[in-house]
Amino acid sequence: MRAIIFAVFLAGLAGAAAAQDNIGPLDGPLGPRPLSPTYGLYGTPGLIEMPTAQSAPDAELAFSFSYGGQTLRNTLTFQIGERLSGTFRYSRVENFSGPGRELFDRSFDIRYRFVDEGTFRPALAIGLQDFIGTGVFAGEYIVGTKTLGPVSATLGLGWGRLASHAPFASLGSRPPRSFGQGGEFEINEWFRGDVAAFGGLAWQVGERLTLKAEYSSDANETEVARGNFERNSPVNLGLDYRIRPGTQLSAYYLYGSEIGVMASFTLNPKFRRLGQSRDGTPRPVFVRPTGAGAGAASTAWAQTSRLPFEEAAMASLGTLMAADGFVLEGIDLQARQATIRYRNTRHLSQAQGAGRVARIASGALPPSVETFILVPMARGLPLSQISISRSALERFEFRVDGADQVLAAAAITDAAGISQRAGSTPAAGAPAGTPRFTYGIQPFTRFILFDPAAPLRYEVGVSLTAEWNPRPGLFFSADLRQRLIGNADQSERFSDSVLPHVRSDSNFYDREGDTLLEHLTVAYNFRPGENLYGRFTLGYLERMYAGVSTELLWKPVASRLAFGAELNWAKQRSFDGGFGFSPLDVQGDISTNGRSGTVGGPREYDVVTGHLSAYYALDNGYHAQLDVGRYLAGDYGATFTLDREFKNGWRVGAYATFTDVSADEFGEGSFDKGIRLSIPVNWTAGTATRRVQRAVIQPVQRDGGARLSVRDRLYPLVRDAHRPELEASWGRFWK
């Protein structure tokens, strides 16, 4: 039941697939054409148990849930590029360690299609299955697939588990795999040992139904030895039925003795959702009367005091902008130009935000103002200045290439010299300089994955947040949370880590009290110079640590490259989530929720930690990040991160951290790694908002490679208003 609950949780992440329209023509010259390759029991493009050489469409995300032979597999597969795919799988194998003692296993796959299918040539792919897990499903393969009308034929060679039935050759000896802690790269095993052949056919009978038959080279030795089933035949049979695009149900007859079932859901961030986002209709450009264009309109209004005109413009702009999801931070109004500082709170694309602010300004500012200097702001930081000609807006609004023409005439430069005080207004109608105070009550959910005793723990509650912004860049903020329901506080796990318990005791923060001060901080963001951004944060930084965090970022507006430096001093908070420090030194169970046991005395832990970071925006939406420095447990190393971001705000990525902590010292998992998803709320809900839902699929949380969690790190705040990101989404300028 625990594994089934986890499957339901992952299915929730996949639910947005039902709202997507990414279907193309169904019929080709030889009959029904597959929409995309179907998925097998292992959650990858394949037959039933065996892989094929086919690839899913670029950027497709597939969530699959399969059960057969007393093994449950929950799988996430992402088509990283047109040829490369990656897979994370969480499985439960019953009776693995003895009767009634199941194994919860985490594994990763990678596959690369190195030859495309041609008229007479099959597609060829090479893959590693369970290559950094415990090795329960470990195997390697080279496979080819050829499509002949509605039928595709597959033939491949397998090693490891995929050569456990009827091997016909051997390539050296394959070292025995010790399950150990898992998570290590067993390179000396790859493509070594026995070799066996596998293959099969898939026949697309119609638009929805596909029939499959395969000869499996997997003898399922582990499961058969545990008595989970009898393997009477290497032939598996199955059918896939597409209920609708993106939803597949499958049924299988396995091993001559078992029935298997699977459901898979796919979505593709590259394609639009069904229906349009409710962004609202943008205001049209106000075209000045003939003779009132650039250089012709009277500037007499600016010859005396501009203050009344500036105040009137602020009131008018503030009201109109607020209706479209913008907060006017301030305006500097001159005879021929206006500098407008604003926060975009609704539109995911900063280019779309700039287009809307420019059109609002065209109807609210005097005709003599020819140049609009738009300054998007975030957390008190001026991010860039976008200079747009008012005449260009008037001339190109209805041109097919109008967005490109405006971009060609615009100048996007650094905003370090922009005053954050002149003409400041916190809200429409409020006096200049009035501090902002906001608060709110909202629900929160939190999921904890891969506890060895339960694949999913969760909590649901309410969060009371408050923030005071007395001056530009200065923020006092707090988040107080009250848990209402959930099982996050029921973990019985005790850390066996030989490192300082900087993260592995996190379950005790969940168990000790239902009320938690999530954070209580004062932060100051500032621009120390051109291309430079600074942050200083003090207080209770996160649920486990308080301290001081400082950061400096170098990021030129036109550059894809950025460098950052962060230095922190952190002190561990007490388990109850209050104001205290020095959590108890856990030696046994603790007394909470009706359970009792013993603990040691309080322990004190503080650490200086920090990193040097490099960021680079690659082509096709890829973003690379390298962080080198000292982690919470005092270990030194580096974190490598690669994300792919799509124009609609979707983001899919993975990270891995390697430090001077050995695999044995690290413990289960051998090193820190994970997959992260960012899903824009407007993609699923259709409402215009900049909010995103984030999920991190982290196989196991240990103490090695652990970082401090600090709000409002600079690079994510800054980059989406710089030229590379603006250009990538400039097609939404007129939206």
Side-chain angles (χ1 to χ4, degrees):
M1 283 302 299
R2 293 192 299 264
I4 291 172
I5 291 172
F6 178 72
V8 172
F9 165 70
L10 286 183
L13 295 179
Q20 187 181 18
D21 179 16
N22 62 354
I23 184 170
L26 294 179
D27 295 316
L30 298 177
R33 181 176 65 82
L35 303 180
S36 64
T38 56
Y39 290 80
L41 277 172
Y42 279 82
T44 59
L47 293 165
I48 300 172
E49 282 192 319
M50 299 294 103
T52 67
Q54 296 170 309
S55 298
D58 180 35
E60 182 168 282
L61 271 167
F63 301 82
S64 65
F65 317 95
S66 67
Y67 184 80
Q70 298 195 57
T71 297
L72 175 68
R73 298 183 181 94
N74 308 295
T75 308
L76 167 64
T77 293
F78 178 53
Q79 193 66 35
I80 301 169
E82 292 184 356
R83 297 175 178 272
L84 181 67
S85 66
T87 297
F88 171 73
R89 184 180 305 105
Y90 187 67
S91 307
R92 187 201 66 192
V93 183
E94 296 182 15
N95 305 314
F96 184 86
S97 302
R101 298 177 61 188
E102 68 269 28
L103 168 72
F104 290 101
D105 181 73
R106 300 165 291 270
S107 58
F108 291 87
D109 300 357
I110 194 165
R111 177 193 307 207
Y112 183 74
R113 191 185 77 249
F114 60 93
V115 173
D116 296 333
E117 183 175 357
T119 304
F120 304 103
R121 179 184 65 237
L124 296 175
I126 186 171
L128 303 175
Q129 180 174 288
D130 192 4
F131 71 104
I132 53 173
T134 59
V136 174
F137 303 110
E140 305 82 50
Y141 58 87
I142 298 175
V143 63
T145 299
K146 185 72 183 75
T147 302
L148 303 168
V151 177
S152 62
T154 294
L155 183 63
L157 298 175
W159 287 260
R161 178 158 176 148
L162 300 182
S164 55
H165 174 77
F168 67 87
S170 181
L171 295 179
S173 61
R174 188 179 182 94
R177 169 69 72 94
S178 172
F179 289 143
Q181 303 291 354
E184 295 187 82
F185 294 97
E186 303 287 349
I187 299 176
N188 60 336
E189 292 185 1
W190 296 351
F191 301 97
R192 299 283 298 277
D194 291 343
V195 185
F198 62 85
L201 299 172
W203 174 30
Q204 187 181 353
V205 179
E207 294 180 357
R208 299 178 182 272
L209 180 64
T210 300
L211 302 180
K212 295 178 175 179
E214 72 174 12
Y215 174 87
S216 172
S217 60
D218 184 353
N220 307 98
E221 294 173 341
T222 301
E223 294 86 347
V224 171
R226 278 22 175 214
N228 286 358
F229 58 85
E230 294 183 3
R231 190 178 187 275
N232 299 325
S233 172
V235 176
N236 298 322
L237 304 174
L239 62 86
D240 301 325
Y241 187 78
R242 295 180 189 270
I243 298 177
R244 51 163 290 119
T247 303
Q248 170 190 319
L249 296 180
S250 304
Y252 308 111
Y253 182 60
L254 306 169
Y255 326 123
S257 63
E258 295 290 313
I259 298 296
V261 294
M262 189 185 76
S264 66
F265 307 90
T266 62
L267 57 89
N268 196 315
K270 291 178 65 176
F271 292 92
R272 65 179 176 87
R273 353 171 264 105
L274 186 64
Q276 300 297 322
S277 175
R278 295 188 289 272
D279 281 346
T281 304
R283 299 178 66 85
V285 174
F286 178 81
V287 180
R288 291 169 292 185
T290 303
S298 171
T299 60
W301 63 271
Q303 302 303 314
T304 55
S305 172
R306 296 195 309 274
L307 184 59
F309 297 93
E310 195 170 82
E311 290 178 345
M314 288 172 66
S316 176
L317 273 176
T319 300
L320 295 173
M321 290 173 64
D324 203 8
F326 300 96
V327 176
L328 178 62
E329 297 265 341
I331 183 171
D332 181 9
L333 186 61
Q334 306 291 332
R336 297 297 184 189
Q337 76 175 32
T339 301
I340 304 169
R341 304 190 314 280
Y342 64 93
R343 280 189 292 120
N344 174 13
T345 67
R346 180 179 298 173
H347 308 285
L348 200 61
S349 165
Q350 290 284 18
Q352 181 181 8
R356 293 202 169 205
V357 171
R359 277 174 286 186
I360 292 171
S362 73
L365 299 183
S368 67
V369 178
E370 170 60 20
T371 303
F372 300 146
I373 301 177
L374 310 179
V375 183
M377 308 280 293
R379 305 298 288 172
L381 294 170
L383 306 180
S384 63
Q385 53 181 4
I386 309 166
S387 299
I388 296 177
S389 164
R390 189 171 183 171
S391 297
L393 294 175
E394 296 169 341
R395 187 163 61 250
F396 298 126
E397 182 180 15
F398 299 109
R399 289 268 296 268
V400 174
D401 62 345
D404 292 336
Q405 294 289 348
V406 172
L407 178 60
I412 304 173
T413 57
D414 191 271
I418 296 294
S419 170
Q420 297 184 52
R421 288 185 170 277
S424 62
T425 176
T434 300
R436 295 188 185 90
F437 179 76
T438 58
Y439 67 93
I441 299 177
Q442 58 191 7
F444 78 88
T445 57
R446 178 169 166 263
F447 297 98
I448 306 165
L449 307 181
F450 311 123
D451 185 308
L456 171 65
R457 296 194 186 277
Y458 72 97
E459 60 181 5
V460 178
V462 293
S463 172
L464 172 62
T465 60
E467 183 170 84
W468 181 41
N469 178 204
R471 53 167 292 176
L474 182 61
F475 299 90
F476 295 84
S477 61
D479 183 352
L480 183 66
R481 297 189 174 187
Q482 175 66 45
R483 179 173 55 235
L484 299 179
I485 59 172
N487 64 350
D489 61 337
Q490 297 175 13
S491 174
E492 305 287 346
R493 174 173 53 86
F494 289 92
S495 173
D496 60 357
S497 177
V498 300
L499 301 172
H501 292 191
V502 295
R503 290 297 185 198
S504 58
D505 281 343
S506 61
N507 58 312
F508 290 104
Y509 287 85
D510 299 319
R511 291 174 56 171
E512 279 287 277
D514 293 331
T515 304
L516 170 72
L517 182 63
E518 182 73 12
H519 76 262
L520 177 64
T521 59
V522 54
Y524 182 58
N525 301 323
F526 56 98
R527 293 292 310 267
E530 185 175 357
N531 301 328
L532 294 175
Y533 302 81
R535 174 185 59 80
F536 176 86
T537 308
L538 170 67
Y540 293 84
L541 303 174
E542 49 142 296
R543 63 191 291 120
M544 292 182 67
Y545 290 93
V548 181
S549 176
T550 60
E551 184 182 4
L552 183 67
L553 177 72
W554 176 83
K555 174 65 173 72
V557 168
S559 176
R560 297 182 176 214
L561 180 67
F563 293 104
E566 181 178 291
L567 183 64
N568 313 298
W569 173 77
K571 185 175 178 64
Q572 198 164 10
R573 297 173 59 185
S574 57
F575 288 147
D576 61 9
F579 293 100
F581 297 93
S582 304
L584 296 175
D585 186 12
V586 180
Q587 299 174 354
D589 202 356
I590 60 175
S591 179
T592 180
N593 295 330
R595 297 182 294 272
S596 63
T598 61
V599 295
R603 68 166 184 259
E604 296 213 5
Y605 184 78
D606 64 270
V607 63
V608 175
T609 176
H611 288 79
L612 298 176
S613 302
Y615 312 87
Y616 192 77
L618 303 162
D619 293 329
N620 202 26
Y622 291 98
H623 293 266
Q625 180 176 338
L626 172 64
D627 303 290
V628 179
R630 191 179 195 225
Y631 295 82
L632 282 172
D635 47 332
Y636 292 87
T639 299
F640 303 87
T641 304
L642 182 65
D643 293 307
R644 187 174 181 187
E645 187 172 286
F646 301 91
K647 293 180 180 179
N648 57 14
W650 264 85
R651 192 179 183 97
V652 183
Y655 70 90
T657 299
F658 303 93
T659 73
D660 55 4
V661 170
S662 68
D664 288 338
E665 291 175 304
F666 185 91
E668 183 183 0
S670 297
F671 66 96
D672 189 41
K673 52 194 171 291
I675 298 169
R676 57 190 194 181
L677 302 174
S678 294
I679 306 171
V681 172
N682 70 355
W683 192 88
T684 55
T687 56
T689 175
R690 290 180 60 82
R691 291 178 53 233
V692 298
Q693 294 291 336
R694 295 181 175 87
V696 177
I697 301 175
Q698 188 176 30
V700 65
Q701 189 174 45
R702 301 288 290 184
D703 297 313
R707 288 193 69 178
L708 194 65
S709 178
V710 182
R711 300 169 68 243
D712 295 331
R713 283 193 164 108
L714 293 172
Y715 183 73
L717 285 179
V718 167
R719 70 174 182 84
D720 68 342
H722 282 197
R723 188 172 192 102
E725 302 300 323
L726 289 171
E727 287 182 344
S729 63
W730 199 263
R732 299 195 60 80
F733 182 84
W734 293 115
K735 298 294 185 180

